[in-house]
Amino acid sequence: MPQRIRPGEVAIDLPATFDAGLYFIGRIHTPWARREDCPKNGADSDAVCTIEVDERYAAGLRDIESVSHLIVLYFMDEAPRDVMLQAPRHYRRPHGAFALRSPARPNPIACSIVRLVAVAERRLDVIGLDCRDGTPLIDIKPYFASIDAVPEATVGWHVDERDS
Amino acid sequence: MPQRIRPGEVAIDLPATFDAGLYFIGRIHTPWARREDCPKNGADSDAVCTIEVDERYAAGLRDIESVSHLIVLYFMDEAPRDVMLQAPRHYRRPHGAFALRSPARPNPIACSIVRLVAVAERRLDVIGLDCRDGTPLIDIKPYFASIDAVPEATVGWHVDERDS
C-alpha cells in the first residue's frame, strides 16, 4: 500500500516483471502490531523479539547458538518500492533511497544487527529489531566483527542535519 | 547450477512457489570472472570494484557521496538454495546455512560492508566486495556505526575451528 508522495519526493515506474524470487523462511514476532508503533530503529529498543524459522529450514540453524550477534534480513511488505527521492519528516530535505535506511526502496529488504539472547529449537530470541509483528523473514547470517564492524564509518548528510 | 552435496551435508525440498519478487537494480563489476577466482571474503581484497546502478534508479543515489561506508546487498545467482547443512572444505565439520556466510542459502542474498572511494553519476567505486563480475545488485544502504558496528561480536564455532 504505497504512501502518498510528499513535496520534494520523486517516484519512478518499476519494471513490469521481477528478476528473481524470494522465499519467506519464517516470521518475526515483535511487540509492535502496526508500522506506526515501531521504534525508529532497532537500537532504540531493548525489546526481546522472537525470530521463528519455518520447520522446513530448521537444519540451517545448527551452531547458531554459538553466535553472539546476527545479521537479520526481513521483508518490509508494507513499504512502497517506487520512491527514489524521499523526504522523511525528521530530516530537512529529500535524500535518495540508497542514502537512507527507510524501508521504502526497490527491494524493501531491511538489514538489522541483533544480539542473540536465547535459542529454543526454531525460535531465536533477539534484541535490536524494529519491525511490525509478523514481518516475513528472509535470511539470518552470523555477524563477524572482523568484516562487519566499522566503528569509524560516517554518514555525512546525517551529521549535517542532526538536531542534537 | 547446484553443486553436488558433500558428505555430512543436508539438502531440503524448496517450496513450489516464491513469496515475493526482487528487481535487479544494477550490476557489480569486479576483477573476478568466475566464482572460483573470488576472494574468500571482501575484507581479503583491496581491489576496487564498481557498482553500476541502472538509470531507472539513479535518483535514489542523491547524497550517497557523503557516506563513507555502504551495506551492499547482491544476488548470488550461481548458489544452490537448498543446502541447509553445509561442509565447507576449510572447516572441520558441517554447519547450518544460517551460521555460515556461504552464498548457498534459501535466499542467496549476500551482505557486504564496503568503503566508498569514488562516485561518478551512477557508478560507485568501492573496496570490500568478493563477488563474480556481473553479479546482480539488490540494494545499497548507508552504514551507520551507531547501529551497525559491533566490535565485540563473536562467532563461537568459528573461533573453535580457526587454524591460526
Side-chain angles (χ1 to χ4, degrees):
Chain A
M1 50 190 103
Q3 62 191 27
R4 278 192 304 277
I5 299 288
R6 300 192 186 112
E9 294 194 331
V10 169
I12 59 166
D13 289 326
L14 290 168
T17 56
F18 291 117
D19 298 298
L22 288 174
Y23 302 115
F24 293 165
I25 63 166
R27 293 279 165 179
I28 300 176
H29 305 291
T30 79
W32 310 294
R34 300 170 309 164
R35 190 169 41 159
E36 50 272 39
D37 302 329
C38 297
K40 183 163 158 286
N41 69 63
D44 291 340
S45 169
D46 286 335
V48 175
C49 301
T50 301
I51 298 170
E52 183 165 13
V53 175
D54 288 351
E55 178 63 42
R56 179 192 299 267
Y57 306 101
L61 292 170
R62 191 191 289 181
D63 298 316
I64 199 98
E65 69 285 348
S66 77
V67 179
S68 75
H69 292 74
L70 303 171
I71 299 173
V72 183
L73 303 185
Y74 44 103
F75 197 74
M76 307 301 272
D77 52 359
E78 295 186 344
R81 300 176 69 154
D82 61 342
V83 189
M84 289 300 98
L85 207 55
Q86 300 177 25
R89 284 179 214 287
H90 43 289
Y91 297 127
R92 287 186 213 142
R93 56 188 175 83
H95 300 284
F98 304 123
L100 289 164
R101 288 291 274 270
S102 157
R105 47 213 316 121
N107 294 301
I109 298 173
C111 172
S112 285
I113 313 306
V114 303
R115 182 160 63 86
L116 180 62
V117 294
V119 180
E121 298 191 347
R122 297 181 288 113
R123 296 170 68 90
L124 313 182
D125 288 346
V126 303
I127 292 175
L129 286 176
D130 58 5
C131 57
R132 185 179 45 79
D133 187 42
T135 296
L137 177 67
I138 298 298
D139 199 9
I140 301 170
K141 303 176 191 291
Y143 182 101
F144 282 90
S146 56
I147 54 173
D148 300 318
V150 187
E152 72 273 20
T154 55
V155 178
W157 71 258
H158 193 260
V159 172
D160 294 343
E161 295 192 24
R162 211 157 43 188
D163 295 330
S164 56
Chain B
M1 47 192 106
Q3 63 192 27
R4 279 192 303 276
I5 299 288
R6 301 192 185 110
E9 295 195 331
V10 169
I12 59 167
D13 288 327
L14 290 168
T17 56
F18 292 117
D19 298 299
L22 287 175
Y23 302 115
F24 293 165
I25 63 167
R27 294 279 164 178
I28 300 176
H29 305 290
T30 79
W32 310 294
R34 302 171 308 163
R35 192 170 37 160
E36 49 273 37
D37 302 329
C38 297
K40 184 162 159 283
N41 69 62
D44 291 340
S45 169
D46 286 335
V48 175
C49 301
T50 301
I51 298 170
E52 182 164 13
V53 175
D54 288 350
E55 177 62 42
R56 180 193 297 267
Y57 306 102
L61 292 170
R62 189 190 290 182
D63 297 317
I64 200 96
E65 70 285 349
S66 76
V67 178
S68 75
H69 290 73
L70 303 170
I71 299 174
V72 183
L73 303 184
Y74 44 103
F75 198 73
M76 306 300 272
D77 53 359
E78 295 186 343
R81 300 176 68 154
D82 61 344
V83 189
M84 289 301 98
L85 209 54
Q86 300 176 25
R89 286 179 214 288
H90 44 286
Y91 297 129
R92 286 187 213 141
R93 55 187 177 82
H95 300 284
F98 305 124
L100 289 165
R101 288 292 274 270
S102 157
R105 46 211 319 120
N107 294 302
I109 298 172
C111 172
S112 286
I113 314 306
V114 304
R115 182 159 64 85
L116 180 61
V117 294
V119 180
E121 299 192 344
R122 298 181 287 113
R123 296 169 68 90
L124 313 182
D125 288 346
V126 304
I127 292 175
L129 287 175
D130 58 5
C131 57
R132 185 181 45 78
D133 186 43
T135 296
L137 177 69
I138 297 298
D139 200 10
I140 301 170
K141 303 176 191 290
Y143 183 101
F144 282 90
S146 56
I147 55 173
D148 299 317
V150 187
E152 72 274 19
T154 55
V155 178
W157 71 259
H158 192 259
V159 173
D160 294 343
E161 296 192 24
R162 209 157 42 186
D163 296 327
S164 55

